[in-house]
Amino acid sequence: GRDALIVDWTPQPTGLIADRFRIDSLTGVLLRHQVLGKTGGGERVESDLVVTHIVFDPEFPSGLFSVGLPETLHFAAPLDAE
């Protein structure tokens, strides 16, 4: 139900549509990706990935992205430094 830009990717030299992407017009988020095959002169969807739920700015536990550095941290000069 969102406005989306539909992009068809057609590899050369076949001229046949291989992939179809639906991209949310407002956010640029990929909403759907279809891989298309050609059988009997018509398009056939061989795989269909549909995004049904997106969470923006989720809350993460405070320690999830913390980096623990050792108490004694020493830096050495490069071996080729003179």
Side-chain angles (χ1 to χ4, degrees):
R2 298 183 60 90
D3 287 335
L5 173 67
I6 299 174
V7 178
D8 288 340
W9 181 69
T10 306
Q12 298 298 329
T14 65
L16 302 175
I17 298 170
D19 293 273
R20 178 168 287 150
F21 302 92
R22 286 175 176 80
I23 303 168
D24 186 282
S25 298
L26 182 62
T27 64
V29 171
L30 179 66
L31 299 174
R32 188 173 194 172
H33 173 217
Q34 293 175 307
V35 176
L36 305 175
K38 296 284 187 176
T39 56
E43 292 179 0
R44 183 175 68 118
V45 177
E46 298 201 0
S47 80
D48 194 3
L49 172 81
V50 179
V51 176
T52 59
H53 186 78
I54 298 175
V55 177
F56 290 98
D57 299 325
E59 291 191 25
F60 294 106
S62 61
L64 182 63
F65 298 108
S66 65
V67 177
L69 296 175
E71 289 182 23
T72 55
L73 186 62
H74 301 281
F75 293 94
L79 294 178
D80 60 350
E82 294 184 20

